[in-house]
Coordinates of all heavy atoms in Angstrom, one line a residue:
M95 N -3.9 -14.3 10.1 CA -5.0 -13.3 9.8 C -5.1 -13.2 8.3 O -4.1 -13.2 7.6 CB -4.5 -12.0 10.4 CG -5.5 -10.9 10.2 SD -5.1 -9.2 10.8 CE -4.5 -9.5 12.4
V96 N -6.3 -13.2 7.9 CA -6.6 -13.2 6.4 C -6.6 -11.7 6.0 O -7.3 -10.8 6.6 CB -8.0 -13.8 6.1 CG1 -8.4 -13.6 4.7 CG2 -8.0 -15.3 6.5
P97 N -5.9 -11.3 4.9 CA -5.9 -10.0 4.5 C -7.2 -9.5 3.9 O -7.9 -10.3 3.4 CB -4.8 -9.8 3.4 CG -4.7 -11.3 2.9 CD -5.0 -12.1 4.2
D98 N -7.5 -8.2 4.0 CA -8.7 -7.6 3.4 C -8.5 -7.4 1.9 O -9.5 -7.4 1.2 CB -9.1 -6.2 4.1 CG -9.4 -6.4 5.5 OD1 -10.3 -7.2 5.8 OD2 -8.8 -5.7 6.3
F99 N -7.3 -7.3 1.5 CA -7.0 -7.2 0.0 C -5.5 -7.5 -0.1 O -4.8 -7.4 0.8 CB -7.3 -5.8 -0.6 CG -6.5 -4.7 0.0 CD1 -5.4 -4.4 -0.7 CD2 -6.8 -4.0 1.2 CE1 -4.6 -3.2 -0.2 CE2 -6.0 -3.0 1.6 CZ -4.8 -2.6 1.0
T100 N -5.2 -7.8 -1.4 CA -3.8 -8.0 -1.8 C -3.5 -7.3 -3.1 O -4.5 -7.1 -3.8 CB -3.4 -9.5 -1.9 OG1 -4.2 -10.0 -2.9 CG2 -3.6 -10.2 -0.6
G101 N -2.3 -7.1 -3.4 CA -2.0 -6.5 -4.7 C -0.6 -5.8 -4.7 O 0.1 -5.7 -3.6
Y102 N -0.1 -5.4 -5.9 CA 1.1 -4.7 -6.0 C 1.0 -3.2 -5.6 O 0.0 -2.6 -5.9 CB 1.6 -4.7 -7.5 CG 2.3 -6.1 -7.9 CD1 1.5 -7.1 -8.4 CD2 3.5 -6.2 -7.7 CE1 2.0 -8.3 -8.7 CE2 4.2 -7.5 -8.0 CZ 3.4 -8.5 -8.6 OH 4.0 -9.7 -8.9
V103 N 2.0 -2.8 -4.8 CA 2.1 -1.4 -4.4 C 3.0 -0.6 -5.4 O 2.8 0.6 -5.6 CB 2.6 -1.2 -3.0 CG1 1.6 -1.7 -2.1 CG2 3.9 -1.7 -2.8
T104 N 3.9 -1.4 -6.1 CA 4.7 -0.8 -7.2 C 5.2 -1.9 -8.1 O 5.4 -3.1 -7.5 CB 5.8 0.1 -6.6 OG1 6.4 0.8 -7.8 CG2 6.9 -0.7 -6.0
R105 N 5.5 -1.7 -9.3 CA 6.2 -2.6 -10.2 C 7.5 -2.0 -10.6 O 7.4 -0.7 -10.8 CB 5.3 -2.9 -11.4 CG 4.0 -3.6 -11.2 CD 4.3 -5.1 -11.2 NE 3.0 -5.8 -11.0 CZ 2.6 -6.7 -11.8 NH1 3.2 -7.1 -12.8 NH2 1.4 -7.3 -11.6
Y106 N 8.5 -2.7 -10.6 CA 9.8 -2.2 -11.0 C 9.9 -1.8 -12.5 O 9.4 -2.5 -13.3 CB 10.9 -3.2 -10.6 CG 11.0 -3.5 -9.1 CD1 11.2 -4.8 -8.7 CD2 10.9 -2.5 -8.2 CE1 11.3 -5.0 -7.4 CE2 11.0 -2.7 -6.9 CZ 11.2 -4.1 -6.4 OH 11.3 -4.3 -5.1
G107 N 10.7 -0.7 -12.7 CA 11.0 -0.4 -14.1 C 9.8 0.3 -14.9 O 9.9 0.6 -16.1
I108 N 8.7 0.6 -14.2 CA 7.6 1.4 -14.9 C 7.4 2.7 -14.3 O 7.5 3.0 -13.1 CB 6.3 0.5 -14.7 CG1 6.3 -0.8 -15.2 CG2 5.1 1.3 -15.1 CD1 5.2 -1.7 -14.9
K109 N 7.3 3.7 -15.2 CA 7.2 5.1 -14.9 C 5.9 5.3 -14.1 O 4.8 5.0 -14.6 CB 7.3 6.0 -16.0 CG 7.5 7.5 -15.7 CD 7.7 8.3 -16.9 CE 8.3 9.6 -16.6 NZ 8.7 10.4 -17.9
C110 N 5.9 5.8 -12.9 CA 4.8 6.1 -12.1 C 4.1 7.4 -12.5 O 4.7 8.3 -13.2 CB 5.2 6.2 -10.6 SG 5.8 4.7 -9.9
S111 N 2.9 7.6 -12.0 CA 2.2 8.9 -12.3 C 2.9 10.1 -11.8 O 2.8 11.2 -12.4 CB 0.8 8.9 -11.8 OG 0.8 8.8 -10.4
D112 N 3.8 10.0 -10.8 CA 4.6 11.2 -10.4 C 5.9 11.4 -11.1 O 6.7 12.2 -10.7 CB 4.9 11.0 -8.9 CG 5.8 9.9 -8.5 OD1 6.2 9.1 -9.4 OD2 6.0 9.7 -7.3
G113 N 6.1 10.5 -12.1 CA 7.4 10.7 -13.0 C 8.5 9.8 -12.6 O 9.5 9.9 -13.2
R114 N 8.4 9.3 -11.4 CA 9.5 8.4 -11.0 C 9.4 7.0 -11.5 O 8.2 6.5 -11.8 CB 9.5 8.4 -9.4 CG 9.7 9.7 -8.8 CD 9.7 9.5 -7.3 NE 9.7 10.9 -6.8 CZ 9.9 11.1 -5.4 NH1 10.0 10.2 -4.6 NH2 10.0 12.5 -5.0
T115 N 10.6 6.4 -11.6 CA 10.7 5.0 -12.0 C 11.3 4.3 -10.9 O 12.5 4.6 -10.6 CB 11.5 4.8 -13.4 OG1 10.7 5.5 -14.3 CG2 11.5 3.4 -13.7
I116 N 10.7 3.3 -10.3 CA 11.3 2.6 -9.1 C 12.1 1.4 -9.8 O 11.7 0.7 -10.7 CB 10.2 1.9 -8.4 CG1 9.1 2.9 -7.8 CG2 10.8 1.1 -7.2 CD1 9.7 4.0 -6.9
L117 N 13.5 1.5 -9.4 CA 14.5 0.6 -9.9 C 14.2 -0.9 -9.3 O 13.7 -1.0 -8.2 CB 15.8 1.0 -9.6 CG 16.2 2.4 -10.2 CD1 17.6 2.8 -9.7 CD2 16.1 2.4 -11.7
A118 N 14.6 -1.9 -10.0 CA 14.5 -3.3 -9.5 C 15.1 -3.4 -8.2 O 16.2 -2.9 -7.9 CB 15.2 -4.2 -10.6
H119 N 14.5 -4.1 -7.3 CA 14.9 -4.5 -6.0 C 15.1 -3.3 -5.0 O 15.7 -3.5 -4.1 CB 16.1 -5.4 -6.1 CG 16.1 -6.5 -7.1 ND1 15.2 -7.6 -6.8 CD2 16.7 -6.7 -8.3 CE1 15.3 -8.5 -7.8 NE2 16.1 -8.0 -8.7
A120 N 14.5 -2.2 -5.4 CA 14.6 -0.9 -4.6 C 14.1 -1.2 -3.1 O 14.6 -0.6 -2.3 CB 13.9 0.2 -5.3
F121 N 13.2 -2.1 -3.0 CA 12.6 -2.4 -1.7 C 12.8 -3.8 -1.1 O 12.1 -4.3 -0.3 CB 11.0 -2.1 -1.7 CG 10.6 -0.7 -2.0 CD1 10.3 -0.3 -3.2 CD2 10.5 0.2 -0.9 CE1 10.0 1.1 -3.5 CE2 10.3 1.5 -1.2 CZ 10.0 2.0 -2.5
K122 N 13.9 -4.4 -1.7 CA 14.2 -5.7 -1.3 C 14.4 -5.9 0.3 O 13.9 -6.9 0.9 CB 15.4 -6.2 -2.0 CG 15.7 -7.7 -1.8 CD 16.9 -8.1 -2.6 CE 17.1 -9.6 -2.5 NZ 18.1 -10.1 -3.5
E123 N 15.0 -4.9 0.9 CA 15.3 -4.9 2.3 C 14.0 -4.7 3.1 O 14.0 -5.0 4.3 CB 16.3 -3.9 2.7 CG 15.9 -2.4 2.6 CD 15.9 -1.9 1.2 OE1 16.3 -2.5 0.2 OE2 15.6 -0.7 1.0
N124 N 12.9 -4.4 2.5 CA 11.7 -4.2 3.3 C 10.7 -5.5 3.2 O 9.6 -5.4 3.7 CB 10.9 -3.1 2.6 CG 11.6 -1.7 2.7 OD1 12.2 -1.3 1.7 ND2 11.7 -1.2 3.9
N125 N 11.2 -6.6 2.6 CA 10.4 -7.8 2.6 C 10.0 -8.2 4.0 O 10.8 -8.2 4.9 CB 11.3 -8.9 2.0 CG 10.5 -10.1 1.7 OD1 9.5 -10.1 1.1 ND2 10.9 -11.3 2.3
G126 N 8.7 -8.4 4.1 CA 8.1 -8.8 5.4 C 7.8 -7.7 6.4 O 7.3 -7.8 7.4
Q127 N 8.2 -6.5 6.0 CA 8.0 -5.3 6.9 C 6.5 -5.0 6.8 O 5.8 -5.0 5.9 CB 8.9 -4.1 6.4 CG 8.8 -2.9 7.3 CD 9.7 -1.9 6.8 OE1 10.2 -1.8 5.7 NE2 10.0 -0.8 7.7
Q128 N 6.0 -4.5 8.1 CA 4.7 -4.0 8.3 C 4.8 -2.5 8.3 O 5.6 -1.9 8.9 CB 4.1 -4.4 9.6 CG 2.7 -4.0 9.8 CD 2.1 -4.5 11.0 OE1 2.1 -5.6 11.2 NE2 1.5 -3.6 11.9
I129 N 4.0 -1.8 7.4 CA 4.0 -0.4 7.3 C 2.5 0.2 7.4 O 1.6 -0.6 7.2 CB 4.7 0.1 6.0 CG1 3.8 -0.4 4.8 CG2 6.1 -0.2 6.0 CD1 4.3 0.3 3.5
P130 N 2.2 1.4 7.8 CA 1.0 2.0 7.9 C 0.3 2.1 6.5 O 1.1 2.4 5.5 CB 1.2 3.3 8.6 CG 2.5 3.4 9.1 CD 3.3 2.4 8.3
L131 N -0.9 1.9 6.5 CA -1.7 2.1 5.3 C -2.5 3.4 5.5 O -3.3 3.5 6.4 CB -2.7 1.0 5.1 CG -3.7 1.1 4.0 CD1 -3.2 1.2 2.6 CD2 -4.7 -0.1 4.0
V132 N -2.0 4.4 4.7 CA -2.5 5.8 4.9 C -3.3 6.3 3.7 O -3.0 5.8 2.6 CB -1.4 6.8 5.3 CG1 -0.8 6.4 6.6 CG2 -0.4 6.9 4.2
W133 N -4.2 7.2 3.9 CA -5.0 7.8 2.8 C -4.2 8.9 2.1 O -3.7 9.8 2.7 CB -6.3 8.3 3.3 CG -7.2 8.9 2.3 CD1 -7.3 10.2 2.0 CD2 -7.9 8.2 1.3 NE1 -8.2 10.4 0.9 CE2 -8.6 9.1 0.5 CE3 -8.1 6.8 1.1 CZ2 -9.3 8.7 -0.6 CZ3 -8.9 6.5 0.1 CH2 -9.6 7.4 -0.8
Q134 N -4.0 8.7 0.7 CA -3.3 9.7 -0.1 C -2.0 10.2 0.4 O -1.7 11.3 0.3 CB -4.3 10.8 -0.3 CG -5.6 10.6 -1.1 CD -5.3 10.3 -2.6 OE1 -4.5 10.9 -3.2 NE2 -6.0 9.3 -3.1
H135 N -1.2 9.3 1.0 CA 0.2 9.6 1.4 C 0.2 10.6 2.5 O 1.2 11.3 2.8 CB 1.0 10.0 0.4 CG 1.2 9.1 -0.8 ND1 1.9 7.9 -0.7 CD2 0.7 9.1 -2.1 CE1 1.8 7.2 -1.8 NE2 1.1 7.9 -2.6
Q136 N -0.9 10.9 3.2 CA -1.0 11.9 4.2 C -0.6 11.4 5.6 O -1.4 10.9 6.3 CB -2.4 12.6 4.2 CG -2.9 13.2 3.0 CD -2.0 14.4 2.6 OE1 -1.6 15.2 3.4 NE2 -1.5 14.4 1.3
H137 N 0.6 11.5 5.9 CA 1.2 11.1 7.2 C 1.1 12.0 8.3 O 1.5 11.8 9.4 CB 2.7 10.7 7.0 CG 2.9 9.6 5.9 ND1 3.0 9.8 4.6 CD2 3.0 8.3 6.0 CE1 3.2 8.7 4.0 NE2 3.1 7.7 4.9
N138 N 0.4 13.2 8.0 CA 0.4 14.2 9.1 C -0.7 14.2 10.1 O -0.8 15.0 11.0 CB 0.5 15.6 8.4 CG -0.7 15.8 7.4 OD1 -1.4 14.9 7.1 ND2 -0.7 17.1 7.0
D139 N -1.6 13.2 9.9 CA -2.8 13.1 10.8 C -3.1 11.7 11.1 O -3.4 10.8 10.1 CB -3.9 13.8 10.1 CG -5.3 13.9 11.0 OD1 -5.3 13.2 12.0 OD2 -6.1 14.7 10.6
P140 N -3.2 11.3 12.4 CA -3.4 9.8 12.7 C -4.7 9.4 12.1 O -4.9 8.1 11.9 CB -3.4 9.8 14.2 CG -2.7 11.1 14.7 CD -2.9 12.1 13.5
S141 N -5.7 10.2 11.9 CA -7.0 9.8 11.4 C -6.9 9.3 9.9 O -7.8 8.6 9.4 CB -8.0 10.9 11.5 OG -7.7 12.0 10.6
N142 N -5.8 9.6 9.3 CA -5.5 9.1 7.9 C -5.0 7.7 7.8 O -4.9 7.0 6.7 CB -4.5 9.9 7.1 CG -5.1 11.3 6.8 OD1 -6.3 11.5 6.6 ND2 -4.3 12.4 6.9
I143 N -4.7 7.1 9.0 CA -4.2 5.7 9.0 C -5.5 4.8 8.9 O -6.3 4.8 9.8 CB -3.4 5.4 10.3 CG1 -2.1 6.3 10.3 CG2 -3.0 3.9 10.4 CD1 -1.4 6.3 11.6
L144 N -5.5 4.0 7.9 CA -6.6 3.2 7.7 C -6.4 1.7 8.1 O -7.3 0.9 8.1 CB -6.9 3.1 6.1 CG -7.2 4.5 5.5 CD1 -7.3 4.4 4.0 CD2 -8.2 5.2 6.1
G145 N -5.1 1.4 8.3 CA -4.7 -0.1 8.7 C -3.2 -0.2 8.4 O -2.5 0.7 8.6
H146 N -2.9 -1.4 8.0 CA -1.4 -1.6 7.7 C -1.3 -2.5 6.5 O -2.2 -3.2 6.0 CB -0.7 -2.2 8.9 CG -1.1 -3.5 9.2 ND1 -2.1 -3.8 10.1 CD2 -0.5 -4.7 8.9 CE1 -2.3 -5.1 10.2 NE2 -1.2 -5.7 9.5
L147 N 0.0 -2.5 5.9 CA 0.4 -3.4 4.9 C 1.5 -4.3 5.3 O 2.4 -3.8 6.1 CB 0.8 -2.6 3.6 CG -0.1 -1.6 2.9 CD1 0.5 -0.9 1.9 CD2 -1.3 -2.5 2.3
T148 N 1.6 -5.5 4.8 CA 2.8 -6.4 5.0 C 3.3 -6.4 3.6 O 2.6 -6.9 2.6 CB 2.4 -7.7 5.5 OG1 1.7 -7.5 6.9 CG2 3.7 -8.5 5.8
L149 N 4.6 -6.1 3.4 CA 5.2 -6.1 2.1 C 5.9 -7.3 1.8 O 6.5 -8.0 2.6 CB 6.3 -4.9 2.1 CG 5.8 -3.5 2.4 CD1 7.0 -2.6 2.3 CD2 4.7 -3.1 1.4
E150 N 5.9 -7.7 0.5 CA 6.5 -8.9 0.0 C 7.3 -8.4 -1.3 O 6.8 -8.0 -2.2 CB 5.5 -9.9 -0.3 CG 6.1 -11.2 -0.9 CD 5.0 -12.2 -1.5 OE1 3.9 -12.1 -0.9 OE2 5.4 -12.9 -2.4
H151 N 8.6 -8.7 -1.1 CA 9.5 -8.5 -2.4 C 9.4 -9.6 -3.3 O 9.3 -10.7 -3.0 CB 11.0 -8.4 -1.8 CG 11.9 -8.4 -3.1 ND1 12.1 -7.3 -3.9 CD2 12.7 -9.4 -3.6 CE1 12.9 -7.6 -4.8 NE2 13.3 -8.8 -4.7
R152 N 9.1 -9.1 -4.6 CA 9.0 -10.0 -5.7 C 10.0 -9.5 -6.8 O 10.3 -8.4 -6.8 CB 7.6 -10.2 -6.2 CG 6.6 -10.8 -5.2 CD 5.3 -11.0 -5.9 NE 4.4 -11.7 -4.9 CZ 3.1 -12.1 -5.2 NH1 2.7 -11.8 -6.4 NH2 2.5 -12.7 -4.3
D153 N 10.4 -10.4 -7.7 CA 11.3 -10.0 -8.7 C 10.8 -8.9 -9.6 O 11.6 -8.0 -10.1 CB 11.7 -11.2 -9.6 CG 12.7 -12.1 -8.9 OD1 13.4 -11.8 -7.9 OD2 12.7 -13.3 -9.4
D154 N 9.5 -8.8 -9.7 CA 8.9 -7.6 -10.6 C 8.4 -6.5 -9.9 O 7.8 -5.6 -10.5 CB 7.9 -8.3 -11.5 CG 6.7 -9.0 -10.7 OD1 6.8 -9.2 -9.5 OD2 5.6 -9.1 -11.4
G155 N 8.4 -6.5 -8.6 CA 7.9 -5.4 -7.8 C 7.7 -5.7 -6.3 O 8.1 -6.7 -5.8
V156 N 6.9 -4.9 -5.7 CA 6.5 -5.1 -4.3 C 5.0 -5.4 -4.1 O 4.2 -4.6 -4.7 CB 6.9 -3.9 -3.4 CG1 6.5 -4.1 -2.0 CG2 8.3 -3.5 -3.5
Y157 N 4.7 -6.6 -3.6 CA 3.4 -7.0 -3.4 C 3.1 -6.8 -1.9 O 3.8 -6.7 -1.1 CB 3.3 -8.5 -3.8 CG 1.9 -9.0 -4.0 CD1 1.3 -8.8 -5.2 CD2 1.3 -9.8 -3.1 CE1 0.0 -9.3 -5.5 CE2 0.0 -10.3 -3.3 CZ -0.7 -10.0 -4.5 OH -1.9 -10.6 -4.8
A158 N 1.7 -6.6 -1.6 CA 1.3 -6.4 -0.3 C 0.1 -7.1 0.1 O -0.9 -7.3 -0.8 CB 1.2 -4.8 0.0
Q159 N 0.0 -7.4 1.4 CA -1.3 -7.8 2.0 C -1.8 -6.7 2.8 O -1.0 -6.1 3.6 CB -1.0 -9.1 2.9 CG -0.6 -10.3 2.1 CD -0.5 -11.5 3.1 OE1 -0.6 -11.4 4.3 NE2 -0.4 -12.7 2.4
G160 N -3.0 -6.2 2.6 CA -3.6 -5.1 3.3 C -4.6 -5.5 4.3 O -5.4 -6.3 4.1
F161 N -4.5 -4.8 5.5 CA -5.5 -5.1 6.6 C -5.9 -3.7 7.0 O -5.2 -2.8 7.4 CB -4.7 -5.7 7.7 CG -4.1 -7.0 7.4 CD1 -2.8 -7.1 6.8 CD2 -4.7 -8.2 7.6 CE1 -2.1 -8.2 6.5 CE2 -4.1 -9.4 7.2 CZ -2.8 -9.4 6.6
F162 N -7.3 -3.6 6.9 CA -7.9 -2.3 7.5 C -8.2 -2.4 9.0 O -8.4 -3.5 9.5 CB -9.3 -2.1 6.8 CG -9.2 -1.8 5.3 CD1 -9.5 -2.6 4.4 CD2 -8.7 -0.6 5.0 CE1 -9.4 -2.3 3.0 CE2 -8.5 -0.2 3.6 CZ -8.9 -1.1 2.6
N163 N -8.2 -1.3 9.6 CA -8.4 -1.2 11.1 C -9.9 -1.0 11.3 O -10.7 -0.9 10.3 CB -7.5 -0.2 11.8 CG -7.8 1.3 11.3 OD1 -8.9 1.6 10.9 ND2 -6.7 2.0 11.2
D164 N -10.4 -1.0 12.5 CA -11.8 -0.9 12.9 C -12.2 0.5 13.1 O -13.2 0.7 13.7 CB -12.1 -1.7 14.1 CG -12.0 -3.2 13.8 OD1 -12.2 -3.6 12.7 OD2 -11.6 -3.9 14.7
T165 N -11.4 1.5 12.7 CA -11.8 2.9 12.8 C -12.9 3.2 11.7 O -13.1 2.4 10.8 CB -10.6 3.9 12.6 OG1 -10.2 3.7 11.2 CG2 -9.6 3.7 13.6
D166 N -13.6 4.3 11.9 CA -14.6 4.7 10.9 C -14.0 4.8 9.5 O -14.5 4.4 8.5 CB -15.3 6.0 11.3 CG -16.3 5.8 12.5 OD1 -16.7 4.7 12.8 OD2 -16.5 6.8 13.1
Q167 N -12.8 5.5 9.5 CA -12.1 5.7 8.2 C -11.7 4.3 7.6 O -11.8 4.2 6.4 CB -10.8 6.5 8.4 CG -11.2 7.9 8.8 CD -11.3 8.1 10.4 OE1 -11.5 7.1 11.1 NE2 -11.2 9.4 10.8
G168 N -11.2 3.3 8.4 CA -10.8 2.0 8.0 C -12.0 1.3 7.4 O -11.9 0.6 6.4
K169 N -13.1 1.3 8.1 CA -14.4 0.6 7.6 C -14.9 1.2 6.3 O -15.3 0.5 5.4 CB -15.4 0.8 8.7 CG -15.1 0.0 9.9 CD -16.1 0.2 11.0 CE -15.8 -0.6 12.3 NZ -16.8 -0.3 13.4
Q170 N -14.8 2.6 6.2 CA -15.2 3.2 5.0 C -14.3 2.8 3.9 O -14.8 2.5 2.7 CB -15.2 4.7 5.1 CG -15.6 5.4 3.9 CD -15.6 7.0 4.0 OE1 -14.9 7.5 4.9 NE2 -16.3 7.7 3.1
A171 N -13.0 2.8 4.1 CA -12.1 2.5 2.9 C -12.2 1.0 2.5 O -12.2 0.6 1.4 CB -10.6 2.7 3.4
K172 N -12.5 0.1 3.6 CA -12.7 -1.3 3.3 C -13.9 -1.4 2.4 O -14.0 -2.2 1.4 CB -12.9 -2.0 4.5 CG -13.1 -3.5 4.3 CD -13.1 -4.3 5.7 CE -13.2 -5.8 5.5 NZ -13.2 -6.5 6.8
A173 N -15.0 -0.8 2.6 CA -16.2 -0.8 1.8 C -16.0 -0.3 0.4 O -16.4 -0.8 -0.6 CB -17.3 0.0 2.5
L174 N -15.1 0.8 0.3 CA -14.9 1.3 -1.0 C -14.1 0.3 -1.9 O -14.3 0.2 -3.0 CB -14.0 2.6 -0.8 CG -14.9 3.8 -0.3 CD1 -13.9 4.9 0.1 CD2 -16.0 4.2 -1.2
V175 N -13.1 -0.4 -1.2 CA -12.4 -1.4 -1.9 C -13.3 -2.6 -2.3 O -13.2 -3.1 -3.4 CB -11.2 -1.9 -1.1 CG1 -10.4 -3.0 -1.7 CG2 -10.1 -0.8 -1.0
K176 N -14.1 -3.0 -1.4 CA -15.0 -4.1 -1.6 C -15.9 -3.9 -2.7 O -16.1 -4.8 -3.6 CB -15.9 -4.3 -0.4 CG -16.9 -5.5 -0.5 CD -17.6 -5.7 0.7 CE -18.7 -6.9 0.6 NZ -19.6 -7.0 1.7
H177 N -16.4 -2.6 -2.9 CA -17.3 -2.3 -4.0 C -16.5 -1.8 -5.2 O -17.2 -1.2 -6.2 CB -18.3 -1.3 -3.5 CG -19.2 -1.8 -2.5 ND1 -20.2 -2.7 -2.8 CD2 -19.2 -1.7 -1.1 CE1 -20.8 -3.1 -1.7 NE2 -20.2 -2.5 -0.7
K178 N -15.2 -1.8 -5.2 CA -14.3 -1.5 -6.4 C -14.5 0.0 -6.7 O -14.2 0.4 -7.9 CB -14.6 -2.4 -7.5 CG -14.4 -3.8 -7.3 CD -14.6 -4.7 -8.5 CE -14.4 -6.1 -8.0 NZ -14.7 -7.1 -9.0
D179 N -14.8 0.8 -5.7 CA -14.7 2.3 -5.9 C -13.2 2.8 -5.9 O -12.9 3.9 -6.5 CB -15.5 3.0 -4.9 CG -17.0 2.6 -4.9 OD1 -17.6 2.6 -6.0 OD2 -17.6 2.2 -3.8
I180 N -12.5 2.0 -5.2 CA -11.0 2.2 -5.2 C -10.4 1.0 -5.7 O -10.7 -0.1 -5.2 CB -10.5 2.5 -3.6 CG1 -11.1 3.7 -3.2 CG2 -8.9 2.6 -3.7 CD1 -10.8 4.0 -1.7
N181 N -9.5 1.1 -6.6 CA -8.8 0.0 -7.3 C -7.3 0.2 -7.6 O -6.7 -0.5 -8.3 CB -9.5 -0.5 -8.5 CG -9.4 0.7 -9.6 OD1 -8.7 1.7 -9.4 ND2 -10.1 0.4 -10.7
A182 N -6.7 1.1 -6.8 CA -5.2 1.3 -7.0 C -4.5 1.6 -5.6 O -5.3 1.9 -4.6 CB -5.1 2.5 -7.8
L183 N -3.3 1.3 -5.7 CA -2.5 1.5 -4.4 C -1.1 2.1 -4.8 O -0.7 1.8 -5.9 CB -2.2 0.1 -3.7 CG -1.7 0.0 -2.4 CD1 -2.4 0.8 -1.3 CD2 -1.5 -1.4 -2.0
S184 N -0.6 2.8 -4.0 CA 0.7 3.5 -4.2 C 1.5 3.4 -3.0 O 1.1 3.6 -1.9 CB 0.5 5.0 -4.7 OG 1.7 5.6 -4.8
I185 N 2.9 3.2 -3.2 CA 3.9 3.3 -2.1 C 4.5 4.6 -2.1 O 4.7 5.3 -3.1 CB 4.9 2.1 -2.3 CG1 5.6 2.0 -0.9 CG2 5.8 2.3 -3.4 CD1 6.3 0.6 -0.9
Y186 N 4.7 5.1 -0.8 CA 5.3 6.4 -0.7 C 6.9 6.4 -0.7 O 7.5 6.0 0.2 CB 4.9 6.9 0.8 CG 5.4 8.4 1.1 CD1 4.8 9.4 0.4 CD2 6.3 8.6 2.1 CE1 5.2 10.6 0.8 CE2 6.6 9.8 2.5 CZ 6.1 10.9 1.8 OH 6.5 12.2 2.2
A187 N 7.4 6.6 -2.0 CA 8.7 6.4 -2.3 C 9.3 7.8 -2.5 O 9.3 8.4 -3.6 CB 9.0 5.6 -3.5
N188 N 9.8 8.4 -1.5 CA 10.3 9.8 -1.6 C 11.8 10.0 -1.6 O 12.3 11.1 -1.5 CB 9.7 10.7 -0.5 CG 10.1 10.3 0.9 OD1 10.7 9.2 1.1 ND2 9.7 11.1 1.8
Q189 N 12.5 8.9 -1.5 CA 14.0 9.0 -1.5 C 14.5 8.1 -2.5 O 14.3 6.9 -2.5 CB 14.5 8.7 -0.1 CG 14.1 9.7 0.9 CD 14.6 9.5 2.3 OE1 15.5 8.6 2.5 NE2 14.2 10.2 3.2

């Protein structure tokens, strides 16, 4: 399956906008894992699920392949990414 987009979800050793710094290899055990792609970290409503990500551990961070689903929300998000209205991704690192 060809991804709809690819990119880093986090880089190690860089202070994030929430003030956290993700340490090197923090997500190494998640290599190859599939996780939900959700809007603005909102896990409390299934309609916020836009698709999924497949994670890839790299020495400098976590890279992902993103796949949008066929819901109205997934289609809208895909169009926003295609037209570069959205150009950033964040991983939910709460522990």
